[in-house]
Amino acid sequence: MNRPEILRWLREGRPSDLKTLWSRADAARRKNVGDAVHLRGLVEISNHCVRSCAYCGINRAHRGITRYRMTAHEVLACARQAVGLGYGTVVLQAGEDPGLRRAAVADLVRRIKKDTGLAVTLSLGERDDGDLVAWKQAGADRYLLRFETSNPDLYARIHPSLPGRPSDRFALLRRLRALGYEVGSGVMIGIPGQTYESLADDIETFARLDLDMIGVGPYLPHPATPLGRGGLPLLPAREQVPNTELMTYKVVALARLVAPESNIPATTALATLNRTHGRELGLSRGANVVMPNLTPPRYRVLYEIYPGKACVQETATQCGFCLKERIHRLGRHVGAGPGSRRRSASALPA
Ligand code: 5AD
Ligand code: FES
């Protein structure tokens, strides 16, 4: 898939033509990763954050929310629940929280691995090299860090950097790969100021980085954030990528076509835009993963990165059953085991 083709699909509006994109993405998904849908149990372990990302509802400047950090005991209980529900992976996600100390996280990873044997994915932001090394040694398998947009100016406008700590997520992604993590990244779709050209760059970047996991979702304005309050102007309609459900499916489908072997979730942000069919349509247009929420309900409501997040009122068990039911109705099955990225022999690096 070359760049003009990517751009053409991003701008395509005719449902009959888009059917071709959906069926190409679905065929590539089936051929490369099969009919299994892997379940990754998401535990939002802390909503403390030192960053001021202009779009994110748990950024440090948002004073109106109660902050929490789960205990190791609570996180372990969630991991055991993941085993009971048949998930192969637990994802530990948080704001960028220095209160999640290197040794404590390493210990937690070791205990989860020992007690449950689950694959462990970390999504804890831009952390020190020593942290990433220690957590890999403790047994962490994967790391998620979205680059959010490949346009450096737009990136800088929505990610005020910490004094003395320039942010280079591409360098971090390379480092994570060198350390032996399976590496995931992705972008938000429809950020004010995001052009079609820059979204095409993002999609080409997925392929260039040879990502193991690609997570994309619509940008959803949070009224308590600078961006949600209108901090950046929208571009003229011809240029501005809309933060719609349709645009999200296009990016899921194109991600599958440029990175056929990667694991791609139908994200909660997508389910937030279309609660009844969002995940199913994502799974039918390139995705092969879903991330049921395991966070205890009393914390779940406090992890409000955007408003109206799907599944905030449900329990872990309800989401587990709901998703399995949805997967079966699609004629697919729940993947067994960790569901790591498989590389075909021809795709192995020389
Ligand atoms: N709308 C959509 N996605 C968001 N994220 C954070 N805030 C928002 C928002 N307002 C996404 C970012 C981040 C991931 C964990 O959640 O892409 O990497
Ligand atoms: Fe949470 Fe369906 S996945 S209610």
Side-chain angles (χ1 to χ4, degrees):
M1 166 97 33
N2 58 30
R3 186 184 177 86
E5 250 186 302
I6 293 174
L7 271 169
R8 186 173 72 74
W9 283 122
L10 291 177
R11 291 185 178 279
E12 180 60 66
R14 286 164 298 194
S16 56
D17 285 17
L18 283 168
K19 271 198 188 145
T20 310
L21 177 62
W22 312 145
S23 57
R24 278 178 62 186
D26 199 39
R29 187 270 308 156
R30 186 172 309 114
K31 172 165 177 265
N32 290 281
V33 294
D35 280 335
V37 177
H38 297 287
L39 299 175
R40 325 286 204 202
L42 177 66
V43 191
E44 294 149 338
I45 64 175
S46 160
N47 71 349
H48 288 268
C49 193
V50 294
R51 307 298 291 252
S52 324
C53 304
Y55 48 86
C56 179
I58 63 168
N59 84 63
R60 68 178 304 170
H62 189 188
R63 306 261 175 238
I65 52 170
T66 305
R67 303 283 172 168
Y68 72 89
R69 189 178 296 119
M70 289 172 66
T71 64
H73 184 77
E74 289 172 319
V75 180
L76 264 168
C78 292
R80 293 202 186 95
Q81 202 173 8
V83 176
L85 290 165
Y87 308 164
T89 298
V90 70
V91 182
L92 309 184
Q93 187 172 83
E96 209 166 289
D97 175 12
L100 293 171
R101 316 278 304 181
R102 178 183 300 175
V105 174
D107 208 45
L108 180 59
V109 170
R110 265 190 295 270
R111 285 173 66 184
I112 295 175
K113 297 295 294 185
K114 183 161 166 284
D115 286 12
T116 68
L118 292 170
V120 174
T121 303
L122 300 177
S123 177
L124 304 176
E126 297 174 39
R127 299 286 307 224
D128 286 352
D129 197 65
D131 295 345
L132 304 176
V133 170
W135 300 340
K136 186 77 194 71
Q137 278 171 356
D141 300 275
R142 312 184 184 131
Y143 206 99
L144 303 176
L145 181 68
R146 291 190 181 174
F147 61 81
E148 314 292 1
T149 168
S150 56
N151 178 321
D153 294 331
L154 182 57
Y155 183 87
R157 270 184 277 156
I158 60 178
H159 297 98
S161 60
L162 287 175
R165 273 194 58 195
S167 154
D168 184 348
R169 293 198 175 183
F170 294 111
L172 263 172
L173 291 168
R174 280 195 299 277
R175 178 66 180 147
L176 288 162
R177 163 69 39 85
L179 288 172
Y181 285 95
E182 269 187 71
V183 178
S185 194
V187 298
M188 285 182 293
I189 296 157
I191 307 166
Q194 186 181 42
T195 61
Y196 283 88
E197 294 284 344
S198 105
L199 185 55
D201 286 342
D202 297 345
I203 293 165
E204 291 192 304
T205 304
F206 296 159
R208 194 163 41 77
L209 295 176
D210 187 27
L211 294 173
D212 303 304
M213 301 164 282
I214 302 172
V216 300
Y219 159 65
L220 300 166
H222 191 306
T225 60
L227 205 56
R229 284 191 291 262
L232 282 179
L234 289 171
L235 301 168
R238 252 199 68 70
E239 284 307 313
Q240 172 68 50
V241 171
N243 60 340
T244 56
E245 193 187 342
L246 178 64
M247 189 57 70
T248 307
Y249 298 132
K250 290 183 184 180
V251 180
V252 167
L254 292 166
R256 171 61 64 204
L257 293 170
V258 301
E261 297 175 345
S262 60
N263 286 317
I264 301 180
T267 54
T268 305
L270 187 49
T272 298
L273 283 188
N274 179 345
R275 280 164 200 267
T276 42
H277 301 296
R279 287 205 183 88
E280 282 84 342
L281 287 168
L283 288 172
S284 308
R285 296 171 174 180
N288 69 321
V289 167
V290 279
M291 300 174 70
N293 201 321
L294 284 173
T295 313
R298 68 182 177 287
Y299 298 133
R300 214 180 263 216
V301 293
L302 302 174
Y303 201 86
E304 200 195 39
I305 51 184
Y306 48 80
K309 208 168 130 199
C311 297
V312 162
Q313 302 302 331
E314 280 73 14
T315 63
T317 314
Q318 283 170 329
C319 288
F321 281 98
C322 168
L323 288 173
K324 285 180 222 171
E325 175 69 27
R326 289 171 189 260
I327 290 164
H328 291 142
R329 276 204 301 263
L330 286 172
R332 309 264 283 273
H333 60 271
V334 173
S340 301
R341 184 225 178 139
R342 281 177 305 158
R343 285 168 186 272
S344 65
S346 61
L348 281 175

